[in-house]
Amino acid sequence: EGLSEAEKQELEDVSAEFLVYRTEKAAEAHQRVNDVRRLLDKYRDRAELFLGGPSMITADMIAFIKSDLRIFGVGVVLFIVLVLSLIFRQLRWVVLPLATCLLSLEIMLGYLSWVDWRLTVISSNFVSLLLIMTLAVTVHLVVRYREALACNPAASQLELVREMVTHMARPCLYMVLTTIVAFMSMVVSDIRPVIDFGWMMSMGLGVAFVLAFVVIPAGLMLMKKGRNNDRGDSMSAFTIRFARFTENHGNLVLLLALVLAAVSIWGITQLKVDNRFIDYFRTDTEIHQGLLVIDKNLGGTTPLDIILEAPPMPEIAVADDVVAEDDPYGEDPYADAFTDGFDQEDPFAAEDPFAAEDPFADDPFAEDSEADEPVENSYWFTTTGLEDLEKIHHYLESLPEIGKVTSLVTLAEVSGDLMGHRLNDLELALVRQSLKGDNGKLLLDPYINDELSQTRISLRTRESGGDMKRSELMQQIHDYIVDEVGIEEDQVRFTGLLVLYNNMLQSLFRSQVLTLGAVFLGIMLMFMALFQSLRLSVIAIVPNMLAASVVLGGIGIMGIPLDMMTITIASITVGIGVDDTVHYIHRFKEEFAVDRDYHAAMYRSHGSIGRAMYYTSLIIVAGFSILALSNFVPTVYFGLLTGFAMVAALLGAMVLLPRLIILFKPLGREGAL
């Protein structure tokens, strides 16, 4: 903030330069991992070898993302072709929706590549999600066209296309807008990849809506009407069953909804964000196997650093009258009678052959003279400071979640073992004096900062022993340091990868789960603009809230920890559920206006728009199930939970929503037109 134009340009230039540098370094790291693996392959028949470390993890995660994009992108496309062929049984209803999906994806990926907006682990699912969400819009258009053709087979192609566009433009527009509102909830996150995912999906949905209302109408105008192979009631028989169940068991529907709501609320209270990074990968991957060996046998995986500041030195009070008036030395306590006159010029200095500016200038042994300069010992490398450090160090080693611990205590204990006794302050000072050069950089510099009077305790946590509750662990350590050791609270700080990862998950939880209320409020306002009724808007929001609650509650009950990908399920559930709600209520209002009969309108809505909702739900559930084949476990959860969310949204829109409409009659009384 507050940068001048020149500084803004400089920041932009440096950022671009760093992006190029980061890309080059990532490529070098990836090549280095491949080189090391080729080297290891020569010796795998002699030993059990594992490759670990951040470079390998990063390289393999990128490989997983690329594989998922390639395999699942192609898999979803092939699945779309198969499903459209089975449902509609005409080539045009395969080509036009597929062309719309691929064109929207091509435009978005081209734009992202053009502006160098890179996909991450989170946003890599953007490809599959955009394909399926675009397909949902096109299916609604196709179903409406086929209905119009079945009702009026004598109409011209222009009339049928015009009726399709005019009838579906408004509900599809509001469907896309409400879905965008749901994805925009990700933009308020503090995590950059989540923000990017929200923007990508919002932009992609806008592009998909425009293309759907351009490609499909234009493509149909280039074709003849074709034959009408809509099987009508035979295909809608399944969706009509939902209507019958709602009519015959209305009270049971409400009771089940209340029970699900109560169970879901309890499940939401069980949500947790503490997870194990090692569980992100299947057990047969090298990442999992290598991390497991490091975690169990080599001191743990995730690093955590504790920074301690030295307590302030006590001030020594000096009395003003400490010097007596009759003290002959009181004027200068450091005065020396033999120093009088020595501040004057020495008449013999010029003749002194040893008075050169540097008496050791020609001394061949004077190169290391600076190494012998005394170093003022830090508070933390004294017996007093080490006593506090030992308490903390040994306490950390006693915790089952903690693996390897290193600090100044390690050096002091090794030195004491060599000396045969516990070192005193003088011996500690001598040790400090002798450790210079490379030895000091290795043994002292990582753990002590004289300038800031700080010391560092470095440790690694074990994640394979059970549930890792990072926040509780850090709070437990903090309380011990403050309450038991007596170090002031403002002199203790935690840093490292464990803190970064924990803060990211906590931020995701706050920004996503706790902002759902604002998302629902925004969607309800859009419902009011669309339906022109407060009562109908409230009724419409209830099934969506229940679907989102069921999904989140199910995650909590099953003990699935929230992470970078599963946390986005709530927003996706709302977006998908809103689509079904908008289309169903829009069609219900049209059908109710025919004879003002709520039950008849429900049956006709289920037999018409209900089929499109059923088709899109089937496509989404089966399409995202393909993600279960990924090597990246969060992607597996993402695919399965999205399918579960779609089922919950469909049941809410086709069972609970019509029951609430019939119960509260938001469209007015039945009977007279």
Side-chain angles (χ1 to χ4, degrees), residues 579-594:
D579 294 352
D580 291 341
T581 301
V582 170
H583 282 290
Y584 187 85
I585 292 181
H586 187 269
R587 187 56 177 264
F588 193 99
K589 290 178 66 177
E590 290 183 345
E591 299 296 343
F592 181 76
V594 175

Side-chain angles (χ1 to χ4, degrees), residues 13-64:
D13 295 340
V14 171
S15 299
E17 182 180 355
F18 177 74
L19 185 61
V20 174
Y21 168 82
R22 188 183 70 182
T23 304
E24 293 175 351
K25 289 301 177 183
E28 292 176 5
H30 187 74
Q31 183 60 43
R32 182 167 58 250
V33 170
N34 291 336
D35 293 341
V36 173
R37 277 189 168 137
R38 281 194 293 268
L39 178 63
L40 295 179
D41 289 339
K42 300 178 181 179
Y43 304 95
R44 294 193 186 277
D45 58 337
R46 308 181 192 179
E48 191 176 11
L49 302 177
F50 299 102
L51 180 62
S55 295
M56 185 272 289
I57 294 175
T58 303
D60 280 11
M61 289 184 67
I62 293 175
F64 290 160

Side-chain angles (χ1 to χ4, degrees), residues 551-566:
V551 174
L552 289 176
I555 294 174
I557 293 173
M558 290 184 289
I560 300 175
L562 295 174
D563 53 36
M564 296 178 294
M565 298 183 69
T566 55

Side-chain angles (χ1 to χ4, degrees), residues 539-559:
I539 291 174
I541 205 69
V542 170
N544 294 282
M545 294 180 65
L546 180 61
S549 300
V550 166
V551 174
L552 289 176
I555 294 174
I557 293 173
M558 290 184 289

